[in-house]
Amino acid sequence: MLTRLPSSVPTSPGPGEPEEVSSLPGRVRLIGGPGPANEPILTSEALEFLGRLTRAFGARRERLLDDRRELAALRGPPACGPPPETSAIRESSWTIPAPPPGLGTRSVELVGEPTARAITSGLNSKADVVIADFEDLHAPVWSATLHAQWNLAKAVRRTLEYVSPTGERFRVISRPATLMVRPRAWHLAEPHVQIDGAPVPAALFDAGLYLFHNAHELVRCGTGPYFYLPKVQHYLEATLWDEVFGWAESELSLGKGTIRATAEIDSVTAVWEMEEILFALRPHSAGLAFGQLGLMLSRLKGWRDSGAFPNPATLAAHDPFLAACSRSVVRTSHRRGAPALNATPVFLVALETGGPSHPEIARELAAKVRDARAGYDGTWVGHPGAVPVVREFFMSRFHPSRSSREPAEDPLRSGSDSPRAPDGGTGGFTPRSAVRAVVRYLDARLRGAGAGVVDRSVEYAATAEIARTWLWLWTHHDDPSAGEGSTRSEEARRLIEEESSRLRQEAGGGDPRNETIRLAAGWAEELTVGEEFAEFLTLVTPPQPPA
């Protein structure tokens, strides 16, 4: 029997990792060196578990990632449509299992960083579910990643606490919200742990450690190990997750279906495989979630070779394809007995100083009214203060009965799947606002933070990806009517320098942060003006500056 954390864990991390990291079992090597959080999390038993998990599924993950470009050509414009080889799945009658303990009601789900403060305040809020996000709201600094796992272990055991700067102490209540974990996506790696000479897949690191240390304790507490799965672009990637979960249940002596996961529909390719993704995960499925920001990014990437690309604000407000995707997530989920969630969080910075009538808050909360009216069973929020307001939307007249929500036919098959750029206004993003979002997010990431506040908006990995993709399109498709003068690339460089100068002024002349600002400006230029388009900025930017 593998050793796991006991029901009660120490109140502080252990003294450090043994020096002989190369002698760990099965050619497992730690690159990050000793750290105060290593000992309770990266035990020899836990690393042995990660080693077996990675050897079982790592090679197939690599093959599936290699297949993504070919898949995009098959499922993306102009050849849009579901895979013909899975028509039997779409045409047959089946449903997913009933919701597991703790996931029967999911009206309001609060997403946040896997920090002690965010997890504690979330679990103590009135949210139905709290999502600890390793994908978009976590900068994977090694110490922060380890402490995140430590925070989760203590939260599961109701021993997690947060001490505010004023000395006020907050502890997880005895009956908290249900905890879910959003691991990093398949394309990312955890460079600080190597298995047989290669970095462990970040998805397996995040999910594997959480399962190893907490699965039995979660079941004992009356819930279970539950996940959100970002960037599942193909039903075979969902099949891989299903097999990972089945393997873990066998290794940890858990009942089949103890592990559950909600798959996010956040790419153009996944849109055409919703039913297949649900079916692939069926023993472990906990529904589908509409990932609007991921879909916007996926749509923008489709215009890399075209000068006719839309403003992201136009996509959000006027794209018939995105609207059809949203309706199809609701219809497909309910047809298969699954909950439908909207995984588009609202981060209400103004809640710190204003109530629900504040103009910024009212505008953002209007989107959640639309979620309720569209028939979603629940939606994401990014601030505990939004929980009671949004809950009211889903308990009131805004939320129709399920029988009245579903369109008669799949919206994606009824003429709303055009690959063209949508019509609509040109407001929203400007080169300056996009540069500000990219530079300030990269500065935050380099300092080890998962998000930064820009003009009272929260910028994190998903929003920064959209901003830098649009900027890359803008700089690489110069306006032919502009005549002589500075090119768009030169204009972008000027804006990057102005924004980084503004940041340096805010920091002050002798502040060590000036180095991260310099690095952030360099990365921003590479990502927006460089000749090669980086598929994901998180693949090329380090989470912290080199020592």
Side-chain angles (χ1 to χ4, degrees):
M1 179 65 69
L2 296 175
T3 302
R4 304 177 187 87
L5 289 177
S7 295
S8 61
V9 295
T11 56
S12 61
E17 179 64 28
E19 293 182 5
E20 293 295 326
V21 292
S22 60
S23 66
L24 291 170
R27 296 180 63 196
V28 179
R29 183 166 177 248
L30 297 184
I31 306 299
N38 285 17
E39 189 169 272
I41 295 300
L42 295 181
T43 63
S44 294
E45 294 85 357
L47 288 167
E48 181 183 358
F49 179 83
L50 278 181
R52 295 200 306 275
L53 178 62
T54 300
R55 292 186 189 99
F57 301 104
R60 187 132 58 91
R61 163 197 173 259
E62 290 290 338
R63 290 195 297 272
L64 289 174
L65 291 177
D66 290 341
D67 290 342
R68 279 186 172 183
R69 188 171 297 277
E70 180 181 352
L71 172 67
L74 291 173
R75 300 283 179 269
C80 298
E85 70 271 14
T86 57
S87 60
I89 293 174
R90 297 188 298 276
E91 294 166 4
S92 59
S93 177
W94 53 270
T95 58
I96 70 165
L103 292 184
T105 301
R106 300 174 66 178
S107 297
V108 186
E109 301 192 335
L110 177 60
V111 61
E113 302 170 272
T115 60
R117 178 183 179 181
I119 295 172
T120 301
S121 62
L123 291 174
N124 292 352
S125 74
K126 299 298 183 181
D128 300 305
V129 169
V130 170
I131 306 162
D133 185 6
F134 285 83
E135 169 68 4
D136 283 330
L137 291 173
H138 173 67
V141 178
W142 182 226
S143 60
T145 299
L146 292 175
H147 275 285
Q149 290 284 347
W150 177 250
N151 293 334
L152 292 172
K154 290 192 290 185
V156 167
R157 291 159 179 83
R158 313 291 193 265
T159 61
L160 181 64
E161 64 177 24
Y162 165 71
V163 181
S164 73
T166 61
E168 192 173 2
R169 193 175 297 271
F170 301 89
R171 291 190 64 132
V172 175
I173 60 177
S174 58
R175 299 188 65 179
T178 299
L179 181 62
M180 296 184 76
V181 170
R182 188 175 186 240
R184 284 170 283 179
W186 278 131
H187 64 282
L188 295 171
E190 176 47 70
H192 296 94
V193 179
Q194 290 189 353
I195 308 293
D196 300 330
V200 65
L204 299 183
F205 181 88
D206 296 341
L209 281 179
Y210 181 67
L211 286 167
F212 179 81
H213 288 304
N214 304 296
H216 282 275
E217 184 65 18
L218 285 162
V219 172
R220 191 188 70 81
C221 291
T223 59
Y226 306 144
F227 297 93
Y228 261 96
L229 305 180
K231 298 180 178 64
V232 177
Q233 297 190 13
H234 187 6
Y235 70 89
L236 290 179
E237 294 181 17
T239 300
L240 181 58
W241 268 120
D242 181 69
E243 293 179 12
V244 166
F245 295 150
W247 181 93
E249 286 169 342
S250 175
E251 286 283 313
L252 300 174
S253 301
L254 300 168
K256 184 175 182 179
T258 299
I259 303 170
R260 294 295 186 92
T262 299
E264 297 174 32
I265 303 302
D266 55 6
S267 68
V268 171
T269 50
V271 158
W272 299 107
E273 302 184 11
M274 293 185 204
E275 293 195 84
E276 289 84 348
I277 289 170
L278 262 183
F279 187 85
L281 283 167
R282 189 166 49 158
H284 302 105
S285 180
L288 293 178
F290 173 62
Q292 176 174 294
L293 296 179
L295 271 165
M296 288 171 61
L297 175 63
S298 185
R299 289 280 272 164
L300 283 172
K301 289 178 179 179
W303 282 292
R304 271 180 283 185
D305 298 325
S306 169
F309 56 92
N311 190 290
T314 302
L315 268 181
H318 301 287
D319 188 4
F321 181 74
L322 283 182
C325 291
S326 176
R327 296 194 302 272
S328 188
V329 166
V330 174
R331 181 183 184 274
T332 300
S333 298
H334 293 166
R335 183 177 176 223
R336 301 305 185 180
L341 290 305
N342 192 318
T344 309
V346 171
F347 293 93
L348 300 175
V349 178
L351 272 173
E352 305 295 343
T353 55
S357 61
H358 189 287
E360 291 180 28
I361 298 172
R363 181 179 65 252
E364 297 292 350
L365 290 181
K368 298 306 172 183
V369 173
R370 291 193 293 272
D371 290 350
R373 285 176 168 161
Y376 282 102
D377 298 287
T379 190
W380 286 14
V381 298
H383 193 294
V387 171
V389 182
V390 173
R391 179 180 298 286
E392 181 64 23
F393 300 157
F394 282 84
M395 301 296 291
S396 71
R397 57 188 168 85
F398 292 121
H399 202 216
S401 64
R402 177 174 284 198
S403 61
S404 66
R405 305 176 203 175
E406 295 150 25
E409 60 179 314
D410 189 342
L412 286 172
R413 274 66 166 187
S414 57
S416 297
D417 55 358
S418 171
R420 67 178 177 84
D423 298 323
T426 58
F429 271 48
T430 65
R432 183 176 295 279
S433 67
V435 162
R436 181 169 298 140
V438 172
V439 171
R440 293 197 174 234
Y441 167 73
L442 289 173
D443 172 55
R445 178 177 170 84
L446 287 165
R447 288 183 289 109
V453 177
V454 181
D455 297 333
R456 298 178 67 80
S457 295
V458 176
E459 302 295 343
Y460 53 106
T463 58
E465 285 279 21
I466 291 171
R468 71 93 189 181
T469 298
W470 181 79
L471 270 172
W472 191 92
L473 292 170
W474 183 79
T475 59
H476 288 75
H477 296 90
D478 271 329
D479 183 358
S481 65
E484 294 186 3
S486 65
T487 65
R488 286 181 172 179
S489 294
E490 292 168 343
E491 176 71 2
R493 290 189 179 96
R494 182 183 66 80
L495 291 172
I496 290 169
E497 175 53 36
E498 288 181 4
E499 187 59 32
S500 58
S501 177
R502 182 178 168 186
L503 272 175
R504 285 192 295 270
Q505 289 177 356
E506 293 175 7
D511 196 306
R513 183 182 166 193
N514 284 314
E515 176 61 14
T516 67
I517 295 169
R518 184 188 67 80
L519 290 169
W523 280 115
E525 182 173 331
E526 178 66 25
L527 287 163
T528 60
V529 182
E531 195 59 35
E532 294 294 324
F533 178 82
E535 196 65 26
F536 293 101
L537 67 81
T538 50
L539 281 173
V540 297
T541 55
Q544 58 188 353

